[in-house]
Amino acid sequence: MVLDNLGSSLRGSLDTLSGKSRVGEDDIEEIVKEIQRSLLQADVDVSLVMELSDSIKTRALEEEPPGGTTARDHVLSIVYEELVSLVGESTEIPLENQTILLAGLQGSGKTTTSAKMAWWFSKKGLRPAVIQTDTFRPGAYDQAKEMCARAEVDFYGNPDNDDPVDIARKGLEETADADIHIVDTAGRHALEDDLIAEIEEIESAVDPDRSLLVLDAAIGQGAKDQAKQFDESIGINGVVITKLDGTAKGGGALTAVNETDSSIAFLGSGETVQDVERFEPNSFISRLLG
Ligand code: GDP
C-alpha cells in the first residue's frame, strides 16, 4: 500500500489510533471528517464524498482486522481501498493500432492533449498521427501542426476545408500508415446543439476504438452535464484531466467518470508535449488529499 502524501491532519488522526486494538466510532468520525474536508476542497462531488464516507465508516466498524494487524493499519487499508474505488483504475489503453476521438468544450485542452498523447504513443514505439478537425476555433490548425512538429509525429489538417467530417475521413486516408489515429474535434463555449451534432457525425465517420472526454482540472460540477451529453451522443470510454499544474486538483472530473461509468486515462500537467502522464490511482489520491 502506498500513500505517500496523506495530508498531515489525516495522518495525525490515523496516528491517534496507534497502539489501540479496537477502533471507536469517534475515531472513525474524526478520520472521515478529515478526508471529507480534503476531497470537498479538491472539488469532489458531495454525494461521492458521502458514499465514500459511509463505506469507510461501515467497514472500519464492522470488519475485524486480520490477525496481527493494528487498528491503525486496518483503517488505513480500508481508507486506501475506498479511495481507490472512488478514483478508479486507469483506463486501459492497449499499445496496438487504434483510433481515439477527443471530445470536450473549447479551452479544455483537447488540441494540446492530442499532441501530448501522440508524443506518449511515439515514446512507446508506435507511430501516431493527429487529425485536426477543429474548423471552429481560429488558430487550432496552426497550434496542432506546431505541437505535432515538436512531438515529431504525423499530422493532418486542412485550414481551407470547413467540413470537419470530410477532414476526418481524408485524415484517416492520408495517415493510413500510422498505428494510432488521434482525432481532435472542435469544442464550443457551451454544450450547443451544433457541437453535439458535429461530433456525432465525426464519430460515425471515424468509428473510434475509444472516445475520451477532455476536462480542465478546474471544472467543478459542470462536469456532470458535459459528461452526460457527450456520453449520450458518442459514448465516453475515458477521461483526460488537463492543467493539473495549476492549483485545481481535478476532483470535479470524478463526477464525469462516475456519470459515464468510465475511468481516467491521462493527466496533463503543462503546456508542452511532454507534460503528460498516464493516470495512476496512488499519486492522484495523494494529490486529492494533499
Ligand atoms: P482546446 O480548445 O480544447 O483544443 O484547448 P487547447 O489545447 O487549445 O488548450 C487551451 C489552453 O490551455 C492553451 O493555452 C493550452 O496551452 C492550455 N493547456 C492545455 N493543457 C494544459 C496543461 O496541462 N497545463 C497548462 N498549464 N495549460 C494547458
Side-chain angles (χ1 to χ4, degrees):
M1 182 194 319
V2 195
L3 273 181
D4 304 331
N5 180 8
L6 273 178
S8 55
S9 43
L10 176 57
R11 191 170 289 284
S13 301
L14 276 163
D15 285 344
T16 61
L17 295 178
S18 294
K20 292 193 184 178
S21 55
R22 290 212 72 81
V23 195
E25 226 162 292
D26 289 353
D27 299 322
I28 296 301
E29 278 299 336
E30 190 58 36
I31 288 161
V32 165
K33 227 183 276 165
E34 297 290 351
I35 295 171
Q36 288 177 341
R37 197 170 303 146
S38 306
L39 294 181
L40 291 172
Q41 253 171 26
D43 283 335
V44 180
D45 178 67
V46 177
S47 57
L48 292 178
V49 174
M50 289 309 157
E51 254 173 60
L52 173 106
S53 307
D54 289 345
S55 306
I56 292 175
K57 279 187 214 166
T58 311
R59 290 189 56 194
L61 294 172
E62 287 179 4
E63 287 178 18
E64 282 296 319
T69 309
T70 62
R72 179 190 182 278
D73 287 350
H74 179 55
V75 173
L76 181 57
S77 85
I78 290 171
V79 166
Y80 174 72
E81 282 167 24
E82 291 300 323
L83 284 166
V84 170
S85 131
L86 172 77
V87 304
E89 298 291 341
S90 196
T91 311
E92 203 185 325
I93 306 282
L95 294 176
E96 61 190 33
N97 288 19
Q98 63 194 290
T99 300
I100 301 177
L101 184 68
L102 297 184
L105 294 191
Q106 187 168 326
S108 58
K110 285 180 306 305
T111 300
T112 308
T113 297
S114 63
K116 285 176 173 179
M117 282 174 51
W119 179 82
W120 184 87
F121 277 112
S122 76
K123 291 295 147 202
K124 300 283 177 198
L126 289 152
R127 181 172 173 183
V130 170
I131 299 166
Q132 168 59 276
T133 72
D134 187 351
T135 56
F136 186 80
R137 179 165 64 87
Y141 170 84
D142 288 335
Q143 180 194 349
K145 188 174 174 189
E146 201 180 296
M147 286 197 85
C148 288
R150 254 181 270 142
E152 298 179 358
V153 297
D154 296 351
F155 170 76
Y156 180 86
N158 182 355
D160 300 323
N161 187 344
D162 61 5
D163 178 354
V165 180
D166 189 48
I167 298 176
R169 273 203 201 95
K170 292 206 170 101
L172 287 180
E173 283 164 24
E174 294 286 327
T175 61
D177 288 345
D179 305 317
I180 311 284
H181 294 94
I182 301 171
V183 182
D184 185 20
T185 60
R188 302 285 192 275
H189 294 297
L191 286 165
E192 288 143 350
D193 291 344
D194 64 335
L195 166 67
I196 299 298
E198 179 180 302
I199 202 162
E200 281 177 356
E201 274 187 70
I202 296 173
E203 199 264 347
S204 21
V206 304
D207 189 21
D209 297 284
R210 45 189 56 77
S211 297
L212 304 181
L213 176 62
V214 180
L215 294 171
D216 185 319
I219 189 138
Q221 296 323 309
K224 189 165 185 151
D225 284 349
Q226 278 187 49
K228 195 168 183 298
Q229 273 270 11
F230 281 114
D231 196 34
E232 277 169 14
S233 58
I234 57 166
I236 294 297
N237 311 105
V239 168
V240 178
I241 312 178
T242 65
K243 309 185 196 180
L244 280 164
D245 49 319
T247 51
K249 291 182 174 168
L254 293 175
T255 306
V257 169
N258 191 54
E259 188 69 33
T260 55
D261 206 7
S262 69
S263 50
I264 307 172
F266 286 97
L267 304 178
S269 56
E271 294 187 75
T272 71
V273 290
Q274 293 99 329
D275 295 324
V276 62
E277 57 190 88
R278 282 281 272 138
F279 170 76
E280 194 276 310
N282 287 339
S283 54
F284 192 73
I285 289 169
S286 296
R287 203 189 309 240
L288 286 181
L289 294 178

